[in-house]
């Protein structure tokens, strides 16, 4: 089984920066991509960023230019570096692993427990 554990969330002010970490353990050799998602209270979970072993990175328009996803294979860790944070970024952030992509759709099958990010105005 693959386990994902996020950390790094917290309470910050608008304009601040924060780095989230996701440590993966277990059988991760077959993972095709790692992604970050977020879910605000009362809203649906939304895609934020993704890094693929073969296709590079991708970002949601709402975070493009402010967030950067990266990974360290030696540490089995992916990061989400967030800058210029806005109150609208407030959400629970989840790390996820996709084992395959089908017709352009990433199928995320493993998820972390989430880490809370709160941005005050």
């Amino acid at each position: 089984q693959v386990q994902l554990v996020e950390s790094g969330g917290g309470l910050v002010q608008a304009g601040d920066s924060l780095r989230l970490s996701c440590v993966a353990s277990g059988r991760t050799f077959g993972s095709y991509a790692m992604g970050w998602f977020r879910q605000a209270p009362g809203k649906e979970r939304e895609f934020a960023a993704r890094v693929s072993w073969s296709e590079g990175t991708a970002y949601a328009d709402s975070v493009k230019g402010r967030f950067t996803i990266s990974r360290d294979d030696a540490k089995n860790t992916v990061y989400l570096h967030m800058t210029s944070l806005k109150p609208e970024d407030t959400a629970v952030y989840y790390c996820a692993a996709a084992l395959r992509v089908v017709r352009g759709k990433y199928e995320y099958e493993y998820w972390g427990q989430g880490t809370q990010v709160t941005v005050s105005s």
Side-chain angles (χ1 to χ4, degrees):
Q1 295 289 334
V2 175
Q3 291 186 341
L4 305 175
V5 180
E6 304 98 332
S7 63
L11 174 62
V12 298
Q13 297 185 46
D16 284 355
S17 298
L18 204 60
R19 189 182 76 165
L20 307 182
S21 300
C22 173
V23 179
S25 61
R27 301 177 67 254
T28 61
F29 180 79
S31 296
Y32 182 81
M34 300 293 295
W36 284 97
F37 294 77
R38 64 186 186 180
Q39 185 171 22
K43 297 184 178 180
E44 296 293 310
R45 182 172 58 200
E46 66 177 5
F47 166 80
R50 175 184 67 243
V51 58
S52 170
W53 272 241
S54 61
E55 298 179 1
T57 60
Y59 299 91
D61 289 340
S62 59
V63 308
K64 189 174 298 183
R66 299 187 298 118
F67 291 10
T68 301
I69 186 171
S70 62
R71 61 185 178 92
D72 186 333
D73 292 336
K75 297 181 178 180
N76 293 317
T77 302
V78 295
Y79 305 94
L80 185 67
H81 184 56
M82 306 180 293
T83 64
S84 301
L85 283 164
K86 307 173 181 179
E88 61 203 74
D89 295 319
T90 295
V92 176
Y93 284 71
Y94 297 92
C95 175
L99 301 185
R100 66 175 185 172
V101 56
V102 180
R103 294 182 175 86
K105 180 181 179 180
Y106 291 83
E107 298 188 355
Y108 296 93
E109 299 185 359
Y110 297 94
W111 297 80
Q113 81 288 348
T115 184
Q116 176 71 47
V117 173
T118 303
V119 185
S120 65
S121 59

